[in-house]
Amino acid sequence: MKKILIASSNPDKVKEIKALVSELNEFEIISPADFGISPIVEENGNTLEENALIKAKAFHKLFGFPVISDDTGLFTDALNGEPGVYSARYAGLGAGYKDNYKKLLSKLKDVRDVDRKASFKCVICYLTDTDEYTFFKGICAGSITENPKGEFGFGYDPVFIPDGYKKTFAELKEDEKNIISHRGIALKKLKDYLING
Ligand code: ITT
């Protein structure tokens, strides 16, 4: 069976991607954890596409399988798109999820409800054995809460309410988030591509 490696060292992201591609029966989806390692790749691109490609190439070189990489950012209107490509290290290198969303909430503390719009943008890169790559994108629009809520998900999920919902991503169950999320939308396009060509 053809193996595809998820080019990520973030276990929360790997879990979501695995659930989202589980119906690809003709592929075996593996991750760095299956090899007991979690490589760190310096993400020094200026766009999600650049970073997704940097990760795809680095993991492909390390493991030798076709790969799926994911670069995601949360773009907030009132902060000119912050944290954007810096979402993982918004509160500094080594910052945890809570540090990052607390910084975001504090920067938005004087911003009215109607102006707290934000979007998650996800770029998936599929890199084949022959070094050909294709990007698949997904966007989920919503707004930033005043306080964190919910226990599910990861990252900025406790402070993000998708449009049309009253709950944060962290209050939605994994399968509910996956149906509407940036990552779910991008991976649906990848699945169609892998199945139909
Ligand atoms: P890899 O690069 O190893 O895949 P990472 O966590 O560094 O893992 P990103 O560079 O894409 O991944 O960083 C994006 C950050 O944005 C991530 O660390 C989370 O804090 C946040 N994030 C990504 N996807 C998210 C989601 O679906 N919900 C909430 N926050 C998310």
Side-chain angles (χ1 to χ4, degrees):
M1 201 188 292
K2 185 170 171 182
K3 289 187 166 124
I4 302 180
L5 179 97
I6 301 174
S8 172
S9 291
N10 179 332
D12 297 312
K13 200 193 259 188
V14 170
K15 187 169 163 244
E16 275 194 13
I17 296 175
K18 276 201 168 159
L20 278 159
V21 297
S22 61
E23 72 263 39
L24 286 173
N25 296 321
E26 60 272 44
F27 299 93
E28 186 187 347
I29 309 296
I30 55 175
S31 70
D34 297 325
F35 301 87
I37 48 174
S38 52
I40 306 290
V41 176
E42 194 191 346
E43 296 176 39
N44 49 15
N46 293 315
T47 61
L48 298 178
E49 283 83 356
E50 280 175 25
N51 282 335
L53 187 57
I54 288 169
K55 288 187 267 196
K57 286 189 168 167
F59 279 75
H60 180 62
K61 201 169 167 192
L62 276 171
F63 293 91
F65 299 106
V67 299
I68 300 171
S69 68
D70 165 320
D71 203 58
T72 295
L74 177 62
F75 294 77
T76 306
D77 290 4
L79 301 175
N80 293 318
E82 274 185 36
V85 288
Y86 302 106
S87 294
R89 51 202 144 117
Y90 193 37
L93 271 182
Y97 295 149
K98 218 174 189 171
D99 304 316
N100 287 332
Y101 72 61
K102 275 185 163 175
K103 176 170 177 183
L104 181 64
L105 293 183
S106 102
K107 286 197 119 184
L108 289 174
K109 77 175 169 358
D110 297 323
V111 177
R112 299 175 311 163
D113 273 5
V114 286
D115 294 323
R116 297 173 76 94
K117 291 191 184 318
S119 300
F120 273 114
K121 296 183 184 172
C122 172
V123 172
I124 296 288
C125 178
Y126 175 58
L127 178 71
T128 68
D129 270 339
T130 50
D131 265 355
E132 287 157 89
Y133 60 85
T134 316
F135 294 119
F136 303 89
K137 299 177 196 176
I139 297 181
C140 182
S143 57
I144 305 298
T145 57
E146 280 180 19
N147 295 298
K149 259 185 156 184
E151 302 297 328
F152 301 119
F154 68 101
Y156 296 87
D157 283 347
V159 300
F160 181 83
I161 297 187
D163 282 349
Y165 285 72
K166 289 201 159 52
K167 290 178 175 180
T168 67
F169 262 165
E171 292 177 289
L172 297 179
K173 301 225 172 70
E174 185 180 275
D175 53 340
E176 291 178 295
K177 174 186 172 187
N178 284 346
I179 290 170
I180 55 165
S181 81
H182 43 294
R183 184 164 295 108
I185 294 166
L187 285 170
K188 184 169 183 326
K189 294 176 186 169
L190 169 68
K191 282 185 285 185
D192 289 346
Y193 176 85
L194 290 173
I195 293 167
N196 304 317

